[in-house]
Amino acid sequence: MKVYGHEPDRFTYRTLIHGCVKSYLVDDAIRLFQEMEYNNNNNIVKDDTVVYNALLDGLLKVGKLTEACRFFEKMVSDGVRASSCSFNILIDGLFKNGRAAAGFALFCDLKKNGRLVDAISFSIIVSNLSREGRVAEAIDLVKEMEGRGFVVDLVTITSILIGLHKIGRWDMAERLVKHVRDNALLPNVLRWKVDMEASLQSPRDKGKDYTPLFPSVGSLGDIMSWTNLLSPGEEEEDREGHNSSDGERKDEWSLSPYLDRLTNKSDPSDDSSWMFSASRGKRVQDKGIKSFDVDMVNTYLSIFLAKGKLSRACKLFEIFSSFGTDPVSYTYNSLMSAFIKKGYMKEAWGILQEIGDKHCPADVATYNLIIQGLGKIGKADLGTNVLDRMLKKGGYLDIVMYNTLLHALGKAGMMDEVNTLFDKMTRSGINPDVVTYNTLIEVHAKVGHVKEAYKFLRKMLAAGCSPNHVTDTILDFLEKEVEQMRLRQASMRREEELDTNRHP
DNA sequence: ATAGGGTTAG
């Protein structure tokens, strides 16, 4: 663009910054922002709240809390008006970065002033309280929401239901019903659950195993060819021999190998090469009742699967599919996740194939599951290949992805790769979170690298990342490991002494 | 064009 003499305008920058933030390339986003500021210096139009918001969100999503706060101050001093969206980003970011008290305080302040709080603000607090197991407080907030005339929507309800499931208190759902009045949504959700459970328990189907719903064709080793994201016909072309031509074909001036592939395809209606989806959550508010079923199925699938009720989850999937609704990738991801956790690798592979067959786009969570699965079957080393492939397909690496791969590599004892990946992660501008540190401490402790384990504990504290209950469990293990090492060393020394005594 | 649920660690 620049070469041809077109100066990027604020919409160009807005689009680029948005893209970088969503791909977790926050450092690039900041660079673009600064370039935009510089170009704009004599012609200050700094009322662009949306761009500031996108960057603020990006900084918080990669865990750069102090930079985010500094940026927010800059936003204020630049005279850019913060919207309710800005504050919602900030509140959620504070919670997600381990500053729950600060997030809550900010919310309360805004509430006192009246303006700038909306249904989303409430939903953010409700969701974060539920995640922390503080469901009773979350339900109180729902009551307050209703009182102030805000709509309690499906996202808010789902957060609470999942929180209730985690603490095992489904009975509290009744309390929720009392507060959410004048709304058919919650009664529908609960009735949906009752109906579903009734049909799942119908006597004729009892005891039937529904896991064969996803028969696996071919061998598990084919997983690597799937990650090529090619349909079986094309697969042959891209094998070994043709790879060199792939190299030749590579156009140094090409902006996007992905676009090239689309244009090279003979049949434009075949969109099987479009396999990576960056979109995740979509707005629920305005989708209305139409998306109700798929959202509910996804919620209850997660709940069943968390309880390990695999066969029931598959039955639910079957009933749901027979309604003629197309499952979205999240539905498949939930099922796959459960299969993989239980070690049913063949069934998980079957799902992967079904996703491929239906041309349902794979998202970052799907790739995450593949890496989890590879770790389970002792092929964590292939995980890095999968990452490379995904990046080539226009995917991005989020923190969950890094955490999963760190765990898989660590479990395989590949400590060099663990440390390399951790460096890569921090260099790419993503700050480690509590899961990252817990994982690093744990995997190093498990292979007896006590010093390294403590190094990461110190790093964690220095970074201002508060340990949680999982950290406690891991540290207990680490202490035992230290104790055992001392014993081993002591006995070794004793043997040496005995040895020198025997052969003076 | 920006914000909230359903993926990751003991």
Side-chain angles (χ1 to χ4, degrees):
Chain A
M1 234 180 124
K2 285 178 177 168
V3 164
Y4 283 99
H6 297 294
E7 273 307 306
D9 63 8
R10 50 206 284 263
F11 297 101
T12 320
Y13 282 113
R14 172 184 294 190
T15 309
L16 287 172
I17 289 172
H18 174 220
C20 287
V21 160
K22 281 286 170 281
S23 316
Y24 293 89
L25 301 170
V26 179
D27 292 341
D28 290 325
I30 294 276
R31 259 194 296 281
L32 282 162
F33 181 83
Q34 286 164 347
E35 188 183 311
M36 178 180 78
E37 261 189 327
Y38 178 77
N39 289 347
N40 216 18
N41 216 9
N42 298 318
N43 183 20
I44 304 169
V45 192
K46 281 183 175 169
D47 56 351
D48 226 347
T49 310
V50 174
V51 178
Y52 280 79
N53 284 352
L55 260 170
L56 186 65
D57 189 46
L59 286 169
L60 288 163
K61 287 272 193 307
V62 298
K64 300 197 167 182
L65 183 61
T66 40
E67 284 178 50
C69 292
R70 225 179 295 138
F71 187 75
F72 184 71
E73 282 165 15
K74 176 182 161 50
M75 182 173 174
V76 175
S77 68
D78 284 351
V80 177
R81 202 165 49 92
S83 60
S84 59
C85 187
S86 320
F87 283 108
N88 286 341
I89 290 168
L90 207 50
I91 292 171
D92 189 58
L94 285 167
F95 269 97
K96 297 277 155 68
N97 283 281
R99 303 290 192 280
F104 198 75
L106 178 56
F107 170 72
C108 292
D109 273 1
L110 291 174
K111 208 169 63 180
K112 261 185 224 145
N113 294 333
R115 294 231 171 260
L116 294 169
V117 280
D118 58 9
I120 305 276
S121 325
F122 274 93
S123 182
I124 288 168
I125 307 286
V126 165
S127 150
N128 282 295
L129 288 178
S130 299
R131 273 160 48 112
E132 292 175 11
R134 299 160 65 180
V135 194
E137 292 166 76
I139 294 180
D140 287 342
L141 262 172
V142 166
K143 189 181 171 185
E144 196 184 328
M145 265 179 100
E146 280 285 332
R148 288 173 186 252
F150 290 118
V151 177
V152 180
D153 67 1
L154 185 61
V155 174
T156 317
I157 288 171
T158 301
S159 309
I160 293 187
L161 289 183
I162 287 162
L164 285 176
H165 160 253
K166 266 186 200 152
I167 60 168
R169 290 287 306 271
W170 267 107
D171 54 304
M172 279 169 74
E174 295 306 317
R175 265 185 64 193
L176 198 57
V177 179
K178 271 188 225 148
H179 297 317
V180 184
R181 54 183 171 74
D182 198 34
N183 190 345
L185 186 58
L186 182 56
N188 272 344
V189 171
L190 294 175
R191 193 170 351 106
W192 203 94
K193 175 176 180 279
V194 172
D195 290 350
M196 173 189 68
E197 291 195 316
S199 66
L200 287 174
Q201 271 164 353
S202 64
R204 60 194 165 89
D205 288 332
K206 228 178 189 170
K208 186 172 178 203
D209 185 7
Y210 279 91
T211 49
L213 259 179
F214 300 102
S216 145
V217 187
S219 93
L220 209 56
D222 293 343
I223 199 159
M224 289 315 293
S225 66
W226 183 85
T227 59
N228 265 328
L229 301 178
L230 294 168
S231 55
E234 293 170 299
E235 210 171 286
E236 297 303 297
E237 297 176 14
D238 223 66
R239 285 272 163 91
E240 294 299 281
H242 259 257
N243 276 353
S244 52
S245 76
D246 203 326
E248 279 168 26
R249 206 176 59 204
K250 202 170 159 193
D251 180 0
E252 287 301 317
W253 288 96
S254 166
L255 293 169
S256 161
Y258 157 68
L259 285 176
D260 287 350
R261 270 194 55 176
L262 277 187
T263 42
N264 284 339
K265 278 192 90 73
S266 47
D267 181 6
S269 69
D270 180 3
D271 62 349
S272 65
S273 66
W274 193 82
M275 285 293 280
F276 188 83
S277 153
S279 71
R280 263 199 60 211
K282 273 175 262 144
R283 281 280 109 82
V284 176
Q285 262 167 326
D286 32 44
K287 280 202 292 181
I289 210 80
K290 276 181 191 161
S291 66
F292 176 72
D293 281 345
V294 67
D295 286 331
M296 276 295 89
V297 169
N298 286 335
T299 300
Y300 283 115
L301 265 182
S302 322
I303 287 172
F304 280 160
L305 295 169
K307 282 183 182 160
K309 309 265 185 208
L310 249 174
S311 180
R312 294 185 78 197
C314 290
K315 176 73 195 293
L316 171 59
F317 180 87
E318 196 201 25
I319 293 174
F320 164 70
S321 306
S322 68
F323 284 143
T325 321
D326 251 347
V328 292
S329 79
Y330 191 88
T331 314
Y332 288 118
N333 287 346
S334 300
L335 281 169
M336 222 166 95
S337 155
F339 282 138
I340 286 171
K341 276 185 187 137
K342 287 233 160 190
Y344 295 177
M345 301 311 297
K346 281 197 171 162
E347 285 78 4
W349 174 227
I351 293 185
L352 255 188
Q353 287 171 316
E354 184 158 332
I355 295 178
D357 289 347
K358 294 198 173 182
H359 303 304
C360 181
D363 57 12
V364 69
T366 310
Y367 280 91
N368 187 34
L369 287 161
I370 295 170
I371 288 174
Q372 223 184 322
L374 286 173
K376 266 260 155 74
I377 60 173
K379 300 216 179 277
D381 51 321
L382 291 180
T384 7
N385 291 3
V386 175
L387 280 194
D388 290 342
R389 295 262 163 88
M390 191 187 92
L391 288 174
K392 272 186 207 144
K393 302 295 163 198
Y396 57 88
L397 295 186
D398 67 357
I399 189 149
V400 177
M401 199 76 174
Y402 276 114
N403 288 346
T404 307
L405 189 55
L406 283 172
H407 183 240
L409 292 171
K411 278 278 142 85
M414 303 164 68
M415 306 320 288
D416 289 343
E417 285 81 355
V418 166
N419 292 325
T420 313
L421 187 68
F422 178 72
D423 286 342
K424 192 175 163 189
M425 172 179 172
T426 43
R427 259 187 289 112
S428 78
I430 293 185
N431 270 2
D433 66 359
V434 64
V435 179
T436 320
Y437 285 118
N438 284 346
T439 306
L440 286 169
I441 297 170
E442 197 240 333
V443 295
H444 278 106
K446 282 274 157 72
V447 293
H449 292 178
V450 175
K451 266 192 164 176
E452 286 279 289
Y454 276 114
K455 187 186 91 184
F456 283 114
L457 177 62
R458 279 196 303 275
K459 261 194 181 168
M460 176 182 190
L461 298 172
C465 177
S466 329
N468 60 12
H469 57 291
V470 180
T471 323
D472 291 342
T473 321
I474 295 168
L475 289 182
D476 281 347
F477 176 84
L478 182 58
E479 273 170 29
K480 278 185 199 133
E481 193 68 10
V482 172
E483 190 52 38
Q484 283 205 343
M485 226 164 83
R486 285 214 186 97
L487 285 172
R488 268 199 303 272
Q489 283 176 348
S491 75
M492 251 161 64
R493 231 172 290 133
R494 248 196 324 278
E495 266 178 35
E496 268 171 30
E497 277 165 28
L498 283 174
D499 229 34
T500 37
N501 286 348
R502 244 179 262 138
H503 316 279

